[in-house]
Amino acid sequence: MKNKVVISLVFGVIFVALGIAVYLIIKPKAIYIHNEGETQGTIYSATYEEPEGKDLQDKIEKKIHEFDMSISTYIPNSTISRINNNDPAVKTDLYFETMFYAAQEAARRTNGAIDITVGPLVKAWGFFNFGNNKLSKFPNVSEFLPYVGYKKIHIKDHKLIKDDPRIMIDDNSLGEGYSSDIVAELLKEYGCKNYMVDIGGEVVCKGLNSKGEKWTIGINKPIDDSTSTISQIQTVIHITNCAVTTSGSYRKFYIRNGKKYSHIINPHTGYPIDNNMLSVTVVAPTGLMADTYDTPFMVIGIDSCLKVCKRIPGMDCYIIYTGKDGKNQVVYTEGFKKYLTK
Ligand code: ADP
Ligand code: MG
């Protein structure tokens, strides 16, 4: 009797072990779907593991379109474009209001270094919506400053109130990061636990990649290249469950009389930034947060950038700048170190 029990137990164990072995061998490999397309004058991509292996590209594009109809300056009848054209019937929606309050809070924290009313200046310098950079003459900045200033706009009863009708909103400093959040949210709703969304280089990720590792993101070397075709990696970072965005002066710029004019405008002077910042990469809990701060960080310079960044929970940054010797130098917050190792 005792022997029979032992034999059945041994067979039982062998059976279970064989079952596990067979499962491990034939277990379906995690399939990650990859989609790409265009939005906001740039490219989006999404890589995700959908629980049933479904391709969600149609849903992603629908969501992006819905979002762009609110806050994309590239669409003539979007909410923001209608606001810029002073359409009296236009109401602010949730996407617009979320963008608005994020920008206004960051403006308060950076002494107005991010200013979404900077639109007329961005346009005057030839950068709005990839405007033509072939300016025949430089803008007379003092003409524009009276209607630039984040304190000159308010939202009341879902209406954007402008102190001056010439005010024009430019949300391109944070739109891409915010839209990465929106796509990430959609993937989450469909039960995806592992994904990476990249819109114009502004990344939001969760879980692990198809190799079961954290997501690897390259930080570009800031090599002056207005054609955006040169891409050399400065370093890579390993992240999960967060967002990473970069603002830089090395892709959207032009040179006049040997001087570089970047697409990032100092709202106080009305001129393109003229400091030693080459790029700032920000890691934060959301794409909206990271992208809202990377631009003003370029404006306020190294010391203020590090100071403001340290005060914001979950935020870290990596700055590449021109050192006194003319060579590229790097400085980052203490918390950024963990992203530099696997
Ligand atoms: P990128 O578009 O290269 O990712 P940013 O996130 O820094 O870089 O956004 C830059 C864009 O933001 C500019 O092209 C312009 O439209 C707008 N912009 C420029 N300067 C400012 C500023 N000081 N505050 C708000 N928006 C700005
Ligand atoms: Mg930005």
Side-chain angles (χ1 to χ4, degrees), residues 216-263:
T216 304
I217 316 286
I219 297 180
N220 279 320
K221 267 196 186 147
I223 300 169
D224 280 352
D225 164 38
S226 54
T227 60
S228 298
T229 48
I230 303 173
S231 153
Q232 279 182 33
I233 299 297
Q234 168 89 24
T235 188
V236 291
I237 59 171
H238 307 278
I239 55 167
T240 183
N241 305 332
C242 63
V244 58
T245 70
T246 297
S247 176
S249 60
Y250 56 99
R251 285 213 165 134
K252 295 180 196 153
F253 69 91
Y254 50 81
I255 310 259
R256 290 285 182 282
N257 305 326
K259 194 171 155 58
K260 182 167 148 186
Y261 293 85
S262 143
H263 69 138

Side-chain angles (χ1 to χ4, degrees), residues 173-174 202 247 291-292 294-295:
S173 61
L174 64 163
E202 321 300 26
S247 176
D291 207 13
T292 304
D294 61 7
T295 315

Side-chain angles (χ1 to χ4, degrees), residues 131-296:
N132 81 62
N133 299 335
K134 296 178 190 69
L135 297 182
S136 51
K137 61 180 177 65
F138 284 154
N140 178 6
V141 161
S142 56
E143 251 175 53
F144 299 94
L145 289 176
Y147 54 100
V148 169
Y150 73 96
K151 292 182 182 159
K152 296 175 184 163
I153 48 171
H154 318 267
I155 289 182
K156 198 168 173 243
D157 300 330
H158 304 292
K159 286 235 156 226
L160 187 90
I161 315 288
K162 301 177 182 177
D163 287 0
D164 185 309
R166 293 171 296 176
I167 287 174
M168 195 183 121
I169 313 291
D170 177 358
D171 61 3
N172 287 299
S173 61
L174 64 163
E176 291 169 356
Y178 184 20
S179 52
S180 295
D181 284 338
I182 299 299
V183 174
E185 206 50 51
L186 177 100
L187 295 175
K188 222 189 282 171
E189 276 167 29
Y190 277 86
C192 304
K193 294 197 169 69
N194 300 303
Y195 56 76
M196 182 179 93
V197 179
D198 176 339
I199 301 190
E202 321 300 26
V203 172
V204 174
C205 65
K206 191 170 161 51
L208 302 172
N209 66 17
S210 60
K211 293 184 197 145
E213 296 165 351
K214 284 185 186 168
W215 297 92
T216 304
I217 316 286
I219 297 180
N220 279 320
K221 267 196 186 147
I223 300 169
D224 280 352
D225 164 38
S226 54
T227 60
S228 298
T229 48
I230 303 173
S231 153
Q232 279 182 33
I233 299 297
Q234 168 89 24
T235 188
V236 291
I237 59 171
H238 307 278
I239 55 167
T240 183
N241 305 332
C242 63
V244 58
T245 70
T246 297
S247 176
S249 60
Y250 56 99
R251 285 213 165 134
K252 295 180 196 153
F253 69 91
Y254 50 81
I255 310 259
R256 290 285 182 282
N257 305 326
K259 194 171 155 58
K260 182 167 148 186
Y261 293 85
S262 143
H263 69 138
I264 298 168
I265 309 292
N266 180 336
H268 300 299
T269 63
Y271 280 80
I273 53 167
D274 186 14
N275 57 24
N276 62 349
M277 303 289 276
L278 295 171
S279 76
V280 180
T281 296
V282 177
V283 173
T286 66
L288 177 61
M289 252 175 103
D291 207 13
T292 304
Y293 281 89
D294 61 7
T295 315

Side-chain angles (χ1 to χ4, degrees), residues 313-325:
M315 187 176 283
D316 279 292
C317 67
Y318 180 98
I319 304 169
I320 309 178
Y321 65 98
T322 311
K324 289 209 173 84
D325 55 1

Side-chain angles (χ1 to χ4, degrees), residues 75-88:
I75 298 189
N77 59 337
S78 64
T79 301
I80 191 164
S81 296
R82 291 172 63 202
I83 285 173
N84 284 340
N85 291 328
N86 295 318
D87 177 343

